[in-house]
Amino acid sequence: MIIDAFIHRLERFAVLSPEEKAAVRSACSSTRSLPPRFELLRQGESTTGTNLILSGFACRYTMLPGGRRQITAYLIPGDLCDVRACMLDGMDHSIGTLSPVEVAQLSHDSMLELTQRVPGLTRAVWWSTLVEEATTREWVLNVGHRTALSRTAHLFCELFSRMHAVDLTHQNMCEIPITQSDLADALALSPVHVNRTLMKLRALKLATFRHQHLTIHDFKGLQEVGGFDPAYLRLEDPSPFSEVRRPGASPPPRPDHAETTML
Amino acid sequence: MIIDAFIHRLERFAVLSPEEKAAVRSACSSTRSLPPRFELLRQGESTTGTNLILSGFACRYTMLPGGRRQITAYLIPGDLCDVRACMLDGMDHSIGTLSPVEVAQLSHDSMLELTQRVPGLTRAVWWSTLVEEATTREWVLNVGHRTALSRTAHLFCELFSRMHAVDLTHQNMCEIPITQSDLADALALSPVHVNRTLMKLRALKLATFRHQHLTIHDFKGLQEVGGFDPAYLRLEDPSPFSEVRRPGASPPPRPDHAETTML
DNA sequence: CGTAGCCTTGACCGCCCTCAAATTATGTGG
DNA sequence: CCACATAATTTGAGGGCGGTCAAGGCTACG
């Protein structure tokens, strides 16, 4: 269950009692199923709550004059989509689904209540924000300085690592329910060129993306081609193909005062 | 004085008493002068405090294999450079100066003290973070989907607007103390092509960048070419060339509860 | 007055875009 | 289960934006 992954993420910041975990679970009980290409939040709108993605893919995007779309982030299961929209008075981009998506609806009120009952939550949310910010910076590098092949390799490394972190990979494979056009809009490439690039990745025996499934043949090689350094994702387990999983080590130390000040 | 601009920014979130303003001023009293091309914070390092830029330009950047540099943000007077590095255990990018820079040093402790004395500070800092994040997203659009001309026009609109917001413009001109190569590293273009693009902007009578000075000949036109919509910057005064400056209007309304929860 | 860094200009080339069409999935109703 | 429609993927040909390499001119500053 994906909520377990979410709770696991929270546990990097706070020890949760069974009651607290139950509180998180019950707050996520109200779910909604959305069709593909559904606009969750339109540019300019404000929001009254947030959604936790339980299954499927969504994205942040901006439409450009000429009908082109730039995707600036993929939102995958376990991601909160837009906690911070409420701090500003109107979104500067849109959020929409790419595949069928199931979300847990968290009203603003229930989030407030939850943050009071679960002390580490606020910190976890802000921490996620920082990781997202770092990811966006990485995307600037990607579209700015890397070739189509390298760019695509990098994105696949990122996606596979993130999917692995929420336990949605099976051996060297995971489901990525998006089209080549959706990839193109994220990579700032034409769909045609994405297609050629995918074939090249396949020919190089690095990765295969087909029928909405990503298969990694050679992670090391893919990482090298893409210049991928997983540090910015701040995962517990930086490589999805490391020999030992969670070697009994404790989570990274964190300053205790941060809880109160957020600075 | 640039600290006034900083205080003015804070005043969007809290009414500051003269004593509180004095507290901010005195916290910023310890200054340091840095040479150009000085590495303020290296990738992987942690930080114990933050710096408020008083004069000059700095930037966030990442070095890529091959010696190329991607600048992901310009830091201008009035910007805090890296309040949130302390939340994570190692920077995923570097921060360095582009020109001679004067900074006010704010230790972690003095920031903590200041946040307690000045209630709106925490919120102001996080709000800046969100604007920075939005700006980075805009840069993804820029390097991804715009031509060299459009890209450069967009950056000039952004820079001029930001400089205007901290009162560092003089009519249609402002000082941008960086080289064409520094522009190239931000725009993901070669220095050669930046040069050609600057000449084109001049020929089109849109803007001139020369001798570290940016002159805007036709903001409207520049905005159109660049597809620039200032909304993401969340400035009080969206256009630097609007007829009326600060027409006595009150700052945008904000939720009061946000102070306590930050969500 | 000399040197170093920055800016400018020219020639050539390759990555990726565009347009267009064929082929293959996907899905729907009979 | 098949016929059909629609969307997604694949393939080909041609062209342009911007990169690279190289050399010359300018400016600033010691």
Side-chain angles (χ1 to χ4, degrees), chain B residues 5 15 28 32 54 66 104 116 161 164 222 224 236 245 254:
Chain B
V15 179
C28 294
R32 190 152 75 119
L54 300 176
Q116 276 156 21
S161 298
H164 182 77
L222 202 64
E224 211 158 290
E236 247 181 294
R245 263 214 81 178
R254 54 198 157 79

Side-chain angles (χ1 to χ4, degrees), chain A residues 130-179:
Chain A
L130 297 188
V131 172
E132 245 194 69
E133 200 191 333
T135 304
T136 309
R137 268 195 300 272
E138 199 63 32
W139 282 34
V140 174
L141 299 200
N142 222 25
V143 297
H145 278 288
R146 293 198 252 260
T147 65
L149 188 75
S150 173
R151 223 182 277 193
T152 310
H154 191 280
L155 181 62
F156 282 169
C157 285
E158 178 187 309
L159 278 181
F160 195 85
S161 298
R162 287 172 62 191
M163 290 296 273
H164 182 76
V166 287
D167 211 21
L168 284 176
T169 57
H170 315 281
Q171 273 126 62
N172 66 334
M173 197 184 82
C174 71
E175 196 190 348
I176 310 269
I178 65 177
T179 68

Side-chain angles (χ1 to χ4, degrees), chain B residues 17-43:
Chain B
S17 66
E19 291 78 29
E20 286 169 339
K21 290 185 192 180
V24 172
R25 268 175 218 284
S26 82
C28 294
S29 59
S30 159
T31 67
R32 190 152 75 119
S33 290
L34 309 171
R37 280 149 224 287
F38 178 79
E39 203 170 38
L40 246 164
L41 209 52
R42 190 191 310 260
Q43 187 166 356

Side-chain angles (χ1 to χ4, degrees), chain B residues 210-243:
Chain B
R210 200 168 226 187
H211 307 303
Q212 319 233 311
H213 283 267
L214 173 64
T215 309
I216 308 288
H217 306 309
D218 175 5
F219 192 78
K220 209 73 172 259
L222 202 64
Q223 196 167 358
E224 211 158 290
V225 168
F228 176 74
D229 175 357
Y232 69 95
L233 292 175
R234 313 271 169 174
L235 301 174
E236 247 181 294
D237 190 9
S239 172
F241 293 101
S242 60
E243 310 307 318

Side-chain angles (χ1 to χ4, degrees), chain A residues 64-120:
Chain A
L64 291 119
R68 308 186 59 104
R69 174 180 67 165
Q70 174 70 54
I71 292 177
T72 54
Y74 285 124
L75 301 169
I76 72 171
D79 286 343
L80 282 172
C81 42
D82 247 341
V83 225
R84 50 208 182 292
C86 49
M87 261 194 87
L88 301 172
D89 46 338
M91 294 278 288
D92 54 52
H93 61 281
S94 303
I95 294 185
T97 64
L98 295 170
S99 69
V101 164
E102 207 185 350
V103 295
Q105 297 181 288
L106 294 157
S107 71
H108 199 157
D109 289 342
S110 69
M111 276 299 279
L112 284 182
E113 195 192 309
L114 205 54
T115 50
Q116 276 155 22
R117 291 191 55 174
V118 184

